Every structure is written in C-alpha cells, then in structure tokens.
Amino acid sequence: MLSPRLLELLRDYWKTARPKEWLFPGRRSGEPITTYAVEDACRGARARSGITRPITPHCLRHAFAVHLLESGTDLRTIQLLLGHSDLATTSKYLRIATSKVCATASPLDALQTITPVVPDLMPT
C-alpha cells in the first residue's frame, strides 16, 4: 500500500535526484540500494533520534503491522499486506498493546438490557 503522502514525497525525491535505473540506487552504478545500506540508515536515524533500543527494518515492519491492528485493520488484511502465506505467521508476528486488550469490550456488553424474569416460587 502506498499512501498519497508518501507518493508525494517520492515524486519530490524523484524530481530532485532523477535516478536513472533504480528509484533508490546503490553505491555501485546500475545496482539497487543494498539491505546493509537500509540497515545503516535505520542505525543513523536511531542515533539522531536518541532512541536507545535497536531499530531495524524488521522492527519497522512489525510496528507497521501493530499500528494497523490497533487502528482496526483485520488480521487477514494485515496478512495480505505483509505477504504471509500462513495466517499463523501473522498472528505470531503481532503483539497487541496492553491498552488495546484492556479496552476491548465484552460481547455481553453489546447485548440489549434484558430484565430477568424471576419465577414466583410461592404459589398463591
């Protein structure tokens, strides 16, 4: 999925950089950016932000999935976006924030209020 905001940023980048073969070219001519370069960019962003925990592309993927889940996206859609063939992989991949679990309403609360009928145990 490509957000309109990201598409706008990518268009601005392309207009400025005018890459020839790859949108994100590597250091070697004709080669795409390497996974090491992406990991290095994550490390640099972490250092500039002051975050102490490691940040990897996999962490960003995980955070993306968790944010989708917390915003109400169903698990099957997240599975398709992540490219998992097995739903079990997606469900293991996601950790739900405690606040999301605690805020979940009981199905019982969705029922209409029912006034219980109490039988008369004392015959008249």
Side-chain angles (χ1 to χ4, degrees):
M1 80 195 222
L2 180 63
S3 78
R5 288 177 61 191
L6 179 57
L7 181 59
E8 186 179 328
L9 289 170
L10 289 172
R11 283 184 173 146
D12 289 343
Y13 160 75
W14 187 84
K15 288 174 186 174
T16 303
R18 294 286 187 188
K20 301 286 185 244
E21 297 177 51
W22 297 95
L23 184 59
F24 300 107
R27 288 187 179 174
R28 294 182 183 174
S29 179
E31 295 288 322
I33 192 171
T34 64
T35 55
Y36 176 77
V38 173
E39 290 169 358
D40 192 46
C42 285
R43 280 190 294 274
R46 176 184 153 236
R48 289 187 302 278
S49 71
I51 296 172
T52 57
R53 294 183 63 181
I55 297 175
T56 64
H58 184 80
C59 291
L60 297 176
R61 177 179 163 89
H62 177 80
F64 170 74
V66 171
H67 284 293
L68 286 175
L69 184 67
E70 290 179 344
S71 68
T73 305
D74 65 273
L75 202 55
R76 175 69 176 133
T77 301
I78 296 170
Q79 174 194 6
L80 294 172
L81 288 171
L82 295 178
H84 293 157
S85 58
D86 188 357
L87 189 58
T89 304
T90 308
S91 62
K92 289 177 186 176
Y93 194 84
L94 301 173
R95 286 180 280 162
I96 303 172
T98 307
S99 61
K100 178 74 171 177
V101 174
C102 294
T104 304
S106 167
L108 184 60
D109 295 336
L111 296 175
Q112 293 178 355
T113 304
I114 300 172
T115 306
V117 176
V118 180
D120 185 8
L121 299 176
M122 302 291 287
T124 55

